[in-house]
Amino acid sequence: MDDKPVRTGPEPDLDTEPPPSARPASADAGLTTGALARRLGVSPTTLRSWDRRYGIGPAARADGRHRRWAPDDVAALEAMCRLTASGVPPAEAARAARDRPQENTPATAPPAAPRSRAAGVLPLGDVRQECRGLARAAVRLDAPAVARQLDRAITEFGLTVAWQDVMAPALHAVGRKWASSGDRYVEVEHLLSWHVSTALRRHTTPVGASVAPVLLACVPDEQHTLPLEALNASLAQSTIPTRMFGAAVPADALGAAVRRLGPAAVVLWAQARATAAPQLARHIAATAWGVRGARAQPLVMLGGPGWTGRPTRGMVRPTGLADALATLTAAYGTEQQG
């Protein structure tokens, strides 16, 4: 369940403004590549690449050199962006965009709607096409497309694979972009996180059994809950009862919950080393309940990169969601047999 950064190559310049000579003198001249890129939420390099590879470029060039995107060109690019955001491969999306029914368009392109400064390319590396589509939709702040992508990924791949191969890489890429871009991309991270949380909860059906559940909680001062929400949803799909306590659970409250519930396992999430609490983890692992001679203690699982390098003798460190799910399923089965 640890976050593992994806190595990526250099990114294109996302904010390069066209020189004055490349800017249209009037609306009739059409949009420049830079203006259209900002409008669509992609990089100018992407537009030039689509033109070169798939022939989806401007019909005319001013002075024989500078690209000028007419309304029909803009409509084709908008169609291609919608298709790639839904996971359609670029070559197929380009063919569909070129072959789309032509609509009556005004002589000039409509004014561009205000867009986020986050328009650009996320450092995704080698990921599924569905992850790229989700990231593109998030960068454009296209909430309906984000929701559709998430539901489609969960339905097609199952929750565990959808989290590991689609959701988590996109979230990590947004987080890295935010960290390297000052205050930019914050709105993208918030929108994507909210929709991921919503999708996970929508696919979570609480299990009615209350005997020896799995308790999931963030350590005190830890606010990152999405990995725990993914695990909670996966456990529910495996019909294992859980108790999800969410972010920043106080140590005393966590200890009281363990004594009251008698859980088969306790999962403690720490995203950052500064929030990891080894003393609390040891205290929970030592907590016992039941009558004398038949007292029980929980399995303690430490999730998240914050535990790296911390002494965790006798506790479990999963390598990912699938590993955590398998370990907790076994622990719950053992508790039931006992």
Side-chain angles (χ1 to χ4, degrees):
M1 291 173 65
D2 290 355
D3 291 344
K4 296 180 180 179
V6 179
R7 294 183 179 179
T8 60
E11 296 177 50
D13 183 359
L14 304 184
D15 297 310
T16 302
E17 290 288 343
S21 61
R23 296 172 186 162
S26 68
D28 291 337
L31 294 175
T32 65
T33 298
L36 181 56
R38 289 190 294 275
R39 172 174 174 169
L40 296 177
V42 299
S43 72
T45 302
T46 296
L47 294 184
R48 288 189 284 269
S49 175
W50 286 352
D51 184 8
R52 183 175 64 256
R53 294 183 181 182
Y54 311 120
I56 185 164
R61 299 171 189 264
D63 302 327
R65 293 183 299 112
H66 299 304
R67 292 174 171 86
R68 288 292 184 269
W69 302 80
D72 284 345
D73 303 326
V74 174
L77 263 298
E78 288 175 340
M80 182 161 180
C81 284
R82 286 193 297 270
L83 291 167
T84 55
S86 66
V88 177
E92 182 179 341
R95 286 194 297 271
R98 288 195 305 266
D99 297 340
R100 78 194 190 289
Q102 297 295 315
E103 300 178 356
N104 293 327
T105 56
T108 60
R115 297 191 59 83
S116 163
R117 293 181 63 217
V121 177
L122 295 178
L124 288 166
D126 185 15
V127 296
R128 288 180 182 268
Q129 181 64 35
E130 291 79 7
C131 179
R132 295 188 181 280
L134 176 62
R136 293 188 189 104
V139 167
R140 295 201 310 275
L141 303 182
D142 187 344
V146 169
R148 289 193 301 271
Q149 287 280 356
L150 291 169
D151 281 337
R152 185 180 297 120
I154 293 172
T155 300
E156 181 174 350
F157 302 123
L159 200 147
T160 301
V161 173
W163 168 260
Q164 293 184 153
D165 292 359
V166 180
M167 302 181 208
L171 287 163
H172 297 168
V174 172
R176 289 193 298 272
K177 197 68 179 176
W178 179 7
S180 64
S181 305
D183 291 333
R184 296 179 57 193
Y185 285 78
V186 176
E187 69 277 24
V188 178
E189 193 272 343
H190 278 255
L191 181 137
L192 181 57
S193 296
W194 189 87
H195 279 282
V196 167
S197 178
T198 299
L200 291 172
R201 296 188 191 193
R202 187 162 52 245
H203 289 270
T204 301
T205 302
V207 179
S210 59
V211 178
V214 174
L215 190 157
L216 304 99
C218 289
V219 297
D221 300 322
E222 180 58 68
Q223 299 291 334
H224 292 79
T225 64
L226 287 179
L228 277 186
E229 293 181 44
L231 179 57
N232 183 57
S234 294
L235 288 167
Q237 288 192 346
S238 298
T239 67
I240 295 176
T242 65
R243 296 296 182 272
M244 174 65 162
F245 288 86
V249 182
D252 291 344
L254 182 58
V258 170
R259 290 190 296 272
R260 290 177 60 187
L261 291 170
V266 177
V267 183
L268 300 176
W269 180 267
Q271 181 77 14
R273 185 177 175 84
T275 63
Q279 184 175 354
L280 172 61
R282 289 191 292 269
H283 173 71
I284 296 300
T287 300
W289 57 85
V291 298
R292 183 174 298 179
R295 294 176 72 78
Q297 293 173 283
L299 168 73
V300 175
M301 175 177 286
L302 306 178
W307 298 106
T308 302
R310 300 287 194 177
T312 57
R313 181 178 299 177
M315 304 177 205
V316 179
R317 287 291 312 280
T319 57
L321 179 57
D323 183 26
L325 182 61
T327 301
L328 293 172
T329 300
Y332 179 73
T334 300
E335 182 71 21
Q336 292 299 97
Q337 293 171 6

